[in-house]
């Protein structure tokens, strides 16, 4: 049976919202949906409240229609819980009927499992080590301070926020972005303005994105996709390929990616890592950068499989012969990364053992 807020009076809705405001706010800040177990665990870390008591709160929010249920594994009955329109409307300052619905996809659900687990297992412990107060607002501030896009979407509004947060993180580490960075920031702002014009002023045609048009014409003058990526790869490309900024520490840039569908392969990983390194070299006019990539997988077996594969000997299909380089070096070589810079990219694989932790399987 699907529970709904329609049976509640306005006063009952307001009272329920105020009673559970902090828990609702946590789910809202985490893109509006989380696994039931993740809600219990993260809210316990934020509030200190026992998980068994939090379970009663969750049950009340489900029965009153504030939290809706989506079964993501038919065999295990594991549930993704997501906020209904009314509680979201209170933070968005809009009428409930105008709140957009969640666009579900299997990939999006699995990505969210990894992202929230990352907050629980990595972000909060890092904050504790640095003696930061643990609250949802402080988690968001910590991610912004790190230049992270972990809880940002790839939409036009969030992309501007991503550039802005990263700009601050780069400045804190003594970096001065180049014209390439500001060109892409300008494009992100133009796309945001065009999006808002379409959403808010439907009778007015949005202004053309002049900087984007100039960038696209220049990009179209190159025939090679590799050349286009080497010269025009941006934060939007980084985010759309599933990468997240972890930290900027002087000349060390750390990013991560989640192998959500057990479908990540070495060629894509090292191609994208190469483009990310080249992007930051352009953005900062700094060729002494090091890129550290962490790949988070469902389990240690998958992590070992990827780790072993990248070090196997490569085969050159054009020359129809085995070559001296291993697979990761061959990929970087084909992109155009000089051998002297091969050690500038380091990849680590971590199995998170998420299957038993959350009763989820692919």
């Amino acid at each position: 049976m699907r529970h709904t807020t329609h049976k509640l009076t306005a006063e009952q809705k307001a009272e329920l919202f105020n009673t559970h405001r902090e828990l609702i706010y946590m789910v809202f800040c985490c893109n509006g949906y989380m696994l039931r177990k993740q809600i219990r665990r993260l809210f316990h870390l934020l509030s200190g409240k026992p998980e068994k008591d939090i379970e009663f709160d969750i049950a009340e929010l489900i029965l009153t229609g504030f939290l809706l249920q989506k079964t993501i594994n038919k065999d295990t009955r594991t549930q993704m819980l997501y906020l209904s329109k009314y509680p979201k409307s209170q933070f968005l300052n809009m009428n409930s009927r105008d709140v957009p619905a969640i666009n579900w996809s299997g990939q999006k659900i699995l990505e969210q499992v990894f992202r929230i687990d990352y907050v629980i297992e990595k972000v909060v412990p890092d904050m504790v080590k640095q003696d930061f107060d643990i609250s949802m607002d402080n988690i968001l501030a910590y991610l912004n301070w790190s230049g992270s896009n972990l809880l940002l979407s790839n939409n036009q509004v969030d992309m501007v926020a991503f550039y802005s947060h990263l700009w601050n993180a780069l400045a804190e580490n003594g970096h001065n972005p180049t014209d390439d960075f500001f060109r892409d920031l300008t494009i992100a702002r133009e796309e945001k303005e065009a999006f808002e014009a379409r959403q808010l002023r439907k009778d007015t045609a949005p202004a053309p994105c002049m900087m984007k048009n100039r960038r696209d014409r220049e990009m179209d003058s190159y025939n090679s996709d590799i050349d286009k990526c080497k010269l025009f790869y941006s934060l939007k490309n980084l985010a759309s390929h599933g990468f997240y900024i972890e930290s900027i520490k002087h000349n060390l840039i750390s990013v991560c990616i989640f192998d959500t569908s057990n479908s990540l392969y070495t060629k894509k990983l090292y191609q994208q890592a190469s483009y990310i390194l080249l992007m930051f070299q352009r953005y900062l006019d700094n060729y002494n950068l090091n890129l550290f990539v962490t790949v988070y997988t469902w389990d240690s077996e998958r992590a070992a499989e990827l780790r072993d594969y990248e070090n196997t000997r490569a085969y050159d299909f054009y020359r129809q012969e085995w070559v001296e380089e291993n697979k990761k070096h061959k990929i970087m070589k084909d992109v155009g990364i000089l051998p002297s810079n091969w050690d500038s990219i380091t990849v680590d694989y971590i199995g998170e053992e998420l299957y038993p932790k959350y009763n989820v399987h692919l």
Side-chain angles (χ1 to χ4, degrees):
M1 181 179 69
R2 182 184 176 93
H3 302 286
T4 175
T5 60
H6 295 162
K7 297 179 181 179
L8 302 177
T9 65
E11 291 76 14
Q12 288 173 324
K13 289 180 185 179
E15 181 181 359
L16 188 64
F17 177 83
N18 290 328
T19 299
H20 299 291
R21 183 185 183 92
E22 290 185 8
L23 191 153
I24 295 170
Y25 180 65
M26 180 194 76
V27 179
F28 175 79
C29 291
C30 293
N31 300 306
Y33 59 103
M34 302 166 63
L35 290 180
R36 189 168 187 151
K37 186 173 182 178
Q38 290 179 330
I39 293 177
R40 291 200 309 267
R41 182 61 185 153
L42 183 54
F43 195 64
H44 167 71
L45 295 174
L46 297 182
S47 66
K49 194 171 185 177
E51 288 193 41
K52 63 180 181 180
D53 293 340
I54 297 170
E55 182 59 39
F56 283 113
D57 297 337
I58 292 172
E60 183 175 18
L61 291 172
I62 291 173
L63 291 173
T64 52
F66 273 51
L67 279 174
L68 305 177
Q69 301 161 291
K70 181 177 180 64
T71 300
I72 63 173
N73 275 147
K74 292 183 179 179
D75 294 336
T76 64
R77 305 298 294 172
T78 301
Q79 293 177 339
M80 183 70 74
L81 301 183
Y82 61 103
L83 291 175
S84 60
K85 292 190 174 186
Y86 172 78
K88 290 172 68 174
S89 71
Q90 302 307 293
F91 295 116
L92 295 172
N93 295 317
M94 62 173 60
N95 194 291
S96 296
R97 60 175 169 268
D98 297 325
V99 173
I102 295 176
N103 293 318
W104 295 104
S105 71
Q107 171 69 20
K108 190 173 182 179
I109 289 171
L110 297 177
E111 190 82 7
Q112 182 71 348
V113 173
F114 272 88
R115 288 198 295 185
I116 303 305
D117 185 73
Y118 183 93
V119 172
I120 294 170
E121 302 294 346
K122 179 87 167 60
V123 175
V124 171
D126 284 353
M127 292 176 67
V128 170
K129 288 178 184 177
Q130 299 179 61
D131 293 326
F132 293 139
D133 291 334
I134 307 303
S135 68
M136 197 63 231
D137 282 337
N138 282 353
I139 288 175
L140 296 177
Y142 183 81
L143 291 172
N144 294 344
W145 171 74
S146 303
S148 175
N149 56 318
L150 183 73
L151 294 180
L152 298 178
S153 70
N154 295 337
N155 67 27
Q156 295 89 336
V157 176
D158 279 359
M159 194 53 58
V160 173
F162 185 15
Y163 271 98
S164 300
H165 298 156
L166 186 62
W167 184 6
N168 291 332
L170 293 170
E172 285 290 327
N173 285 273
H175 296 296
N176 296 311
T178 63
D179 290 343
D180 272 14
F181 177 89
F182 291 112
R183 176 203 63 198
D184 290 345
L185 171 56
T186 300
I187 291 172
R189 286 172 174 165
E190 287 180 345
E191 291 183 326
K192 176 186 175 183
E193 291 171 1
F195 170 77
E196 290 176 339
R198 290 192 296 268
Q199 294 295 311
L200 303 176
R201 299 184 294 274
K202 297 181 180 179
D203 56 337
T204 304
C209 300
M210 301 301 295
M211 186 68 75
K212 181 178 185 299
N213 291 340
R214 286 197 293 269
R215 193 275 314 271
D216 289 349
R217 284 198 298 271
E218 186 179 352
M219 192 181 345
D220 289 342
S221 69
Y222 291 87
N223 291 324
S224 167
D225 289 336
I226 290 179
D227 286 341
K228 290 178 182 180
C229 289
K230 288 167 65 175
L231 296 171
F232 300 100
Y233 197 93
S234 68
L235 291 184
K236 185 173 183 179
N237 299 124
L238 178 151
S240 65
H241 282 94
F243 287 87
Y244 301 97
I245 300 291
E246 290 195 292
S247 65
I248 311 288
K249 295 180 179 177
H250 305 296
N251 281 351
L252 176 61
I253 297 168
S254 298
V255 303
C256 69
I257 186 171
F258 305 130
D259 184 24
T260 54
S261 302
N262 283 343
S263 59
L264 183 67
Y265 52 95
T266 302
K267 183 175 182 179
K268 174 195 173 181
L269 175 63
Y270 274 93
Q271 277 183 338
Q272 296 302 316
S274 299
Y275 298 145
I276 292 170
L277 177 64
L278 293 171
M279 176 191 73
F280 277 109
Q281 288 178 346
R282 287 188 293 105
Y283 275 179
L284 304 177
D285 193 23
N286 184 338
Y287 297 88
N288 296 312
L289 299 173
N290 290 287
L291 180 70
F292 189 86
V293 183
T294 303
V295 179
Y296 292 97
T297 65
W298 285 98
D299 55 33
S300 55
E301 183 178 347
R302 173 64 174 165
E305 176 187 339
L306 290 169
R307 187 182 300 110
D308 292 343
Y309 185 77
E310 71 172 32
N311 290 307
T312 57
R313 193 176 178 189
Y315 186 80
D316 190 319
F317 288 95
Y318 293 103
R319 297 187 314 205
Q320 293 292 298
E321 63 183 17
W322 294 96
V323 294
E324 293 301 318
E325 298 93 1
N326 58 28
K327 290 185 182 298
K328 64 180 179 181
H329 291 155
K330 176 67 165 57
I331 296 162
M332 288 189 278
K333 179 180 178 180
D334 290 345
V335 168
I337 302 293
L338 297 175
S340 58
N341 285 331
W342 286 351
D343 290 338
S344 297
I345 298 176
T346 303
V347 177
D348 189 24
Y349 301 91
I350 298 178
E352 289 296 292
E353 310 304 336
L354 297 183
Y355 296 122
K357 184 188 295 186
Y358 296 121
N359 201 25
V360 173
H361 62 78
L362 297 181

